[in-house]
Amino acid sequence: MRDDTRLPTSPGFWRSPLRGPWFTSVLGLVLLGGITVLFVTGLVSYAAYNPDLSPVNDKTPDKGILGFYLFSWPTDPHWLYRVNQGVHVTLGVTLIPVLLAKLWSVVPKLFTLPPARSLAHALERISLLLLVGGALFEFTTGVLNVQLDYVFPGSFYPLHFYGAWVFFAAFVAHAVLKVPAAVRNLRRLRAEEPVASQESAPAPERELVSPRPDPVTVSRRGALWFVGGGSLLLFATTAGQSFDGPLRRTALLAPHGGPDPGSGPNGFQINKTAAYAGITAPETDEDAWRLVVTGRSGTLRLSRAQLRELPLYSAALPIACVEGWSTSDQWWRGVRLRDLAALVGHDDPPDVFVESLQRRGAFRHAALRANQVADPRSLLALYVNGESLTPDHGYPARVIVPAAPGVLNTKWVARMTFGETR
């Protein structure tokens, strides 16, 4: 069976002259750096939700020891989440051609017989299966999330979080085994023509080399330029979603790419519309709507007119979401959260539990830490860029906090409970 060239278990089945240790090593080292950055920025993104603060913020409640690294999310610099998530999503999309080329370059190893020559070889094969499966799962769910296409079963958050740990564990094991060989390959072949140098590779690495290759039509360096061009194209059609103005029009592959919606002071990107959230005009009418604020000294019910009579402050802050899109700084104006806390008996700002008029969907409730409440730039915003909020931007009032993920900047706020996070 191994010698039947009609079957993928035969080395003669794989005829491409591009496969070899040099090509695979270059792609592997690129992925080593890129995937490490993806893993770190992914963990940081999860920490930004302050999942240990409240169950409503934690979408992976059974994480156990996998949450060992979590920390209280800071408010400085105010663009922290915007940059972190922009790097995470854009880099992930950009690496897709590199990942696919890497998997193509090593696919003969998946069909090598016998399946296990030794215990060590069996462990390596298992780690390889976890690595390939994990990579495909993580990149696929990540891209679907960016495209707002939730066709996979279950919630994106736990699937992507647990999948990342399984994938990265296999990735680390594979890197420990293969990075030394990859570095040796590049050092040995750097001064030689890669196509002509495959026979000098050690026996395990020669498994990638076809014994009967097809005629060469493109060099391995040419193939790398092709892969790099694909990555550059994906970068150019994705990265613009993190910017306003002309650059956003280049984000052809991002749902939040293209021109900003509408015009005027409220003409910047949103995620959920008021209609999607089920917000109706009668409940947000200025005469009907009241903000319920609860704290140590009791409960207040404040109209929008009463909020306008309180001291108002301004802050320039962006909106940044987990899908990787963000806006530039917008000028928000409203009541400081710390001042609302003081109104109900909290001279030292505590944590706060925020509830929206939105009746369904994730993050209609959110909890903020005391350091976020205390920041003078954290506002219950009534205005943006000089005008009242529109319904889609959270009218009559919304939360805006420096460096917080967009979903924690609750829109259509109905109730704020200080000193409680439920």
Side-chain angles (χ1 to χ4, degrees), residues 388-405:
S388 291
L389 299 169
T390 61
D392 286 344
H393 281 295
Y395 180 87
R398 69 168 297 162
V399 166
I400 187 73
V401 173

Side-chain angles (χ1 to χ4, degrees), residues 145-213:
N145 182 62
V146 171
Q147 296 298 324
L148 310 178
D149 192 358
Y150 303 106
V151 298
F152 41 81
S155 171
F156 166 77
Y157 293 96
L159 289 173
H160 204 64
F161 179 79
Y162 296 129
W165 278 104
V166 172
F167 166 57
F168 198 72
F171 179 75
V172 169
H174 187 74
V176 169
L177 292 170
K178 296 301 181 182
V179 165
V183 172
R184 286 197 303 270
N185 282 333
L186 294 181
R187 286 177 177 173
R188 184 177 61 251
L189 303 175
R190 182 168 46 188
E192 306 174 26
E193 172 55 40
V195 174
S197 303
Q198 306 305 317
E199 296 304 322
S200 63
E205 298 168 21
R206 288 203 302 269
E207 292 177 353
L208 300 176
V209 182
S210 175
R212 295 189 302 167

Side-chain angles (χ1 to χ4, degrees), residues 93-237:
V93 173
T94 301
L95 285 177
I96 289 175
V98 183
L99 174 68
L100 294 178
K102 168 70 171 177
L103 295 179
W104 173 86
S105 74
V106 299
V107 70
K109 285 195 169 187
L110 296 179
F111 297 93
T112 300
L113 293 177
R117 295 189 293 264
S118 65
L119 177 60
H121 185 245
L123 292 176
E124 180 185 345
R125 294 296 295 276
I126 292 172
S127 72
L128 187 61
L129 288 175
L130 290 174
L131 180 68
V132 172
L136 293 175
F137 179 82
E138 285 300 288
F139 276 80
T140 299
T141 54
V143 169
L144 289 174
N145 182 62
V146 171
Q147 296 298 324
L148 310 178
D149 192 358
Y150 303 106
V151 298
F152 41 81
S155 171
F156 166 77
Y157 293 96
L159 289 173
H160 204 64
F161 179 79
Y162 296 129
W165 278 104
V166 172
F167 166 57
F168 198 72
F171 179 75
V172 169
H174 187 74
V176 169
L177 292 170
K178 296 301 181 182
V179 165
V183 172
R184 286 197 303 270
N185 282 333
L186 294 181
R187 286 177 177 173
R188 184 177 61 251
L189 303 175
R190 182 168 46 188
E192 306 174 26
E193 172 55 40
V195 174
S197 303
Q198 306 305 317
E199 296 304 322
S200 63
E205 298 168 21
R206 288 203 302 269
E207 292 177 353
L208 300 176
V209 182
S210 175
R212 295 189 302 167
D214 288 330
V216 175
T217 57
V218 63
S219 69
R220 287 183 172 86
R221 287 192 175 93
L224 286 177
W225 278 109
F226 179 76
V227 173
S231 290
L232 183 61
L233 179 63
L234 289 179
F235 175 83
T237 52

Side-chain angles (χ1 to χ4, degrees), residues 249 259-269 393:
R249 294 181 175 88
D260 290 335
S263 60
N266 278 259
F268 57 93
Q269 293 292 330
H393 281 295

Side-chain angles (χ1 to χ4, degrees), residues 70-418:
L70 293 174
F71 55 94
S72 297
W73 188 247
T75 56
D76 281 308
H78 72 278
W79 41 259
L80 178 60
Y81 189 76
R82 181 186 184 192
V83 170
N84 180 85
Q85 204 59 19
V87 168
H88 182 75
V89 171
T90 303
L91 179 60
V93 173
T94 301
L95 285 177
I96 289 175
V98 183
L99 174 68
L100 294 178
K102 168 70 171 177
L103 295 179
W104 173 86
S105 74
V106 299
V107 70
K109 285 195 169 187
L110 296 179
F111 297 93
T112 300
L113 293 177
R117 295 189 293 264
S118 65
L119 177 60
H121 185 245
L123 292 176
E124 180 185 345
R125 294 296 295 276
I126 292 172
S127 72
L128 187 61
L129 288 175
L130 290 174
L131 180 68
V132 172
L136 293 175
F137 179 82
E138 285 300 288
F139 276 80
T140 299
T141 54
V143 169
L144 289 174
N145 182 62
V146 171
Q147 296 298 324
L148 310 178
D149 192 358
Y150 303 106
V151 298
F152 41 81
S155 171
F156 166 77
Y157 293 96
L159 289 173
H160 204 64
F161 179 79
Y162 296 129
W165 278 104
V166 172
F167 166 57
F168 198 72
F171 179 75
V172 169
H174 187 74
V176 169
L177 292 170
K178 296 301 181 182
V179 165
V183 172
R184 286 197 303 270
N185 282 333
L186 294 181
R187 286 177 177 173
R188 184 177 61 251
L189 303 175
R190 182 168 46 188
E192 306 174 26
E193 172 55 40
V195 174
S197 303
Q198 306 305 317
E199 296 304 322
S200 63
E205 298 168 21
R206 288 203 302 269
E207 292 177 353
L208 300 176
V209 182
S210 175
R212 295 189 302 167
D214 288 330
V216 175
T217 57
V218 63
S219 69
R220 287 183 172 86
R221 287 192 175 93
L224 286 177
W225 278 109
F226 179 76
V227 173
S231 290
L232 183 61
L233 179 63
L234 289 179
F235 175 83
T237 52
T238 302
Q241 68 172 337
S242 298
F243 302 91
D244 289 333
L247 279 178
R248 190 177 292 277
R249 294 181 175 88
T250 66
L252 303 177
L253 298 183
H256 292 279
D260 290 335
S263 60
N266 278 259
F268 57 93
Q269 293 292 330
I270 60 170
N271 200 336
K272 297 176 182 177
T273 64
Y276 174 87
I279 306 301
T280 61
E283 63 187 338
T284 59
D285 182 84
E286 185 156 340
D287 292 332
W289 177 83
R290 294 293 184 272
L291 172 69
V292 179
V293 185
T294 300
R296 181 182 296 150
S297 62
T299 298
L300 297 176
R301 294 173 56 85
L302 302 171
S303 68
R304 200 167 189 274
Q306 290 172 315
L307 288 171
R308 288 198 300 267
E309 292 174 358
L310 297 173
L312 300 183
Y313 297 85
S314 297
L317 301 171
I319 295 288
C321 281
V322 69
E323 296 93 356
W325 68 268
S326 60
T327 73
S328 60
D329 290 353
Q330 310 295 326
W331 276 99
W332 307 89
R333 187 164 178 79
V335 182
R336 296 189 303 191
L337 299 187
R338 61 192 297 175
D339 292 345
L340 289 173
L343 287 177
V344 287
H346 295 279
D347 294 330
D348 294 323
D351 302 336
V352 64
F353 182 71
V354 185
E355 300 173 71
S356 172
L357 290 173
Q358 181 180 340
R359 294 176 181 82
R360 60 182 178 84
F363 294 105
R364 63 188 182 276
H365 306 147
L368 298 172
R369 288 192 182 275
N371 68 302
Q372 294 173 311
V373 175
D375 193 294
R377 296 165 296 177
S378 296
L379 304 175
L380 180 72
L382 308 175
Y383 305 92
V384 64
N385 298 326
E387 288 192 5
S388 291
L389 299 169
T390 61
D392 286 344
H393 281 295
Y395 180 87
R398 69 168 297 162
V399 166
I400 187 73
V401 173
V407 290
L408 298 186
N409 292 310
T410 308
K411 297 194 286 187
W412 313 294
V413 176
R415 178 185 294 270
M416 305 183 75
T417 305
F418 289 94

